[in-house]
Every structure is written in structure tokens, then in C-alpha cells.
Amino acid sequence: MCVAPDPRRADPVRGYELDSRGHVNNAVYLSWAEEIATAHAEAAGYGREWSEQRGGGWVIRRTEITYHQPAVYGDEIEVTVKVELVRGARGVRRTTIRRISDGELLAEVLTEWVWVRLSDGRPTQVPRELVELAAAATAATIARRRPGPRAARPAQTRD
């Protein structure tokens, strides 16, 4: 996963991707994130065939999109993805979408995936190989999320 040759793609915004205000429709950002995640897994050798051989596959559980600037018709956009965490039955990827001409961050997509058994669709442990492959990214993500030492709170007094 983390070793895919180039987890990025560049494309122009097309007319059919726009909403009534002339901006890229919100659902398109999710499609871009899912497409790059799938391409990334395939390029790294952990795509659909690999998953099916292990009796499982990824499904999206939750997605959070933060919009910074709108993309519009003709913008050339670059979509990149990185794995942030793989443990238990979960995987988390962060996708960034930028306008190529000025490098402006347009959107960030944080997607939580769940590894499920193909036989019954129930969540199950991610194959150890993927957990080990993503160990450094997982450790870095967990370290970033841990709060630092808490500052001492001032004593409360009653009047």
C-alpha cells in the first residue's frame, strides 16, 4: 500500500462534474478519492484480486470531506493519497485535491475503510501483511493524535 509507484493522478475538471453553481459537485470529490485509493492499492499489488484471494475486501465506512476552495470547469487538478492507519479491521486514507496551476488546496478527504469477509460482509481483521506494510504510517498517525502533556488547570475557587 505505502509502496505504490505513484499514488497520484492529474485530470482536468470536466463539464459533467459540475453542479448548478459551476463548481465541481460534492459527490465527485468522493469519487476521486475512491478512484485514487483503488488505483493505489492495485499499483501496490494489493488490489481486488489479492483481496479476493484472502477472502476479504475493503468497504467505505465513513468519509469526511473538508472543502477549502471550489474546483471549476477546466481546472487541472491533482489527486494524491496516502495511507494513514491500518489496524484491527480498519484502514484510513487521506486524499488531497489540489489545483495544479497554483498548488491551491481545494479539498481533503479522510476516508475510513473496513476490511470485510466476502462470505458474509462482516468486519474482520485486516491481513497481517497489510498491517505490517502500513506499520510506520500507523505509528506516525497514532503519535500525531495523542495529546501532549496536559497543562495544569488553574484551581477553581468559589466566591
Side-chain angles (χ1 to χ4, degrees):
M1 264 197 280
C2 303
V3 295
D6 192 11
R8 68 182 65 234
R9 61 179 265 205
D11 290 300
V13 171
R14 297 164 291 242
Y16 65 83
E17 296 173 317
L18 304 179
D19 61 19
S20 62
R21 299 188 39 86
H23 304 139
V24 169
N25 184 288
N26 294 351
V28 173
Y29 291 92
L30 180 57
S31 291
W32 289 341
E34 190 169 1
E35 288 171 16
I36 193 73
T38 300
H40 185 220
E42 290 290 341
Y46 299 97
R48 186 178 186 151
E49 185 177 321
W50 183 90
S51 298
E52 287 175 350
Q53 289 171 355
R54 282 144 188 86
W58 292 106
V59 296
I60 293 176
R61 178 177 181 267
R62 185 172 65 90
T63 299
E64 178 181 309
I65 304 175
T66 304
Y67 301 97
H68 298 282
Q69 296 289 323
V72 297
Y73 180 75
D75 278 350
E76 292 280 332
I77 54 106
E78 179 182 65
V79 182
T80 60
V81 65
K82 69 177 184 173
V83 173
E84 292 206 341
L85 179 138
V86 178
R87 75 177 191 182
R90 296 177 50 228
V92 176
R93 291 178 185 259
R94 180 176 302 274
T95 303
T96 57
I97 301 166
R98 295 184 180 278
R99 187 172 30 248
I100 292 174
S101 64
D102 59 6
E104 186 73 30
L105 178 62
L106 304 176
E108 294 173 281
V109 184
L110 191 63
T111 307
E112 180 182 347
W113 299 75
V114 175
W115 183 263
V116 298
R117 285 187 301 257
L118 296 179
S119 61
D120 62 7
R122 305 269 310 160
T124 190
Q125 296 290 311
V126 175
R128 173 144 303 295
E129 183 177 351
L130 291 182
V131 173
E132 291 171 359
L133 187 62
T138 298
T141 297
I142 291 169
R144 276 194 314 275
R145 290 181 181 172
R146 283 200 180 114
R150 292 186 183 188
R153 293 184 183 175
Q156 293 184 351
T157 59
R158 291 190 167 179
D159 294 331

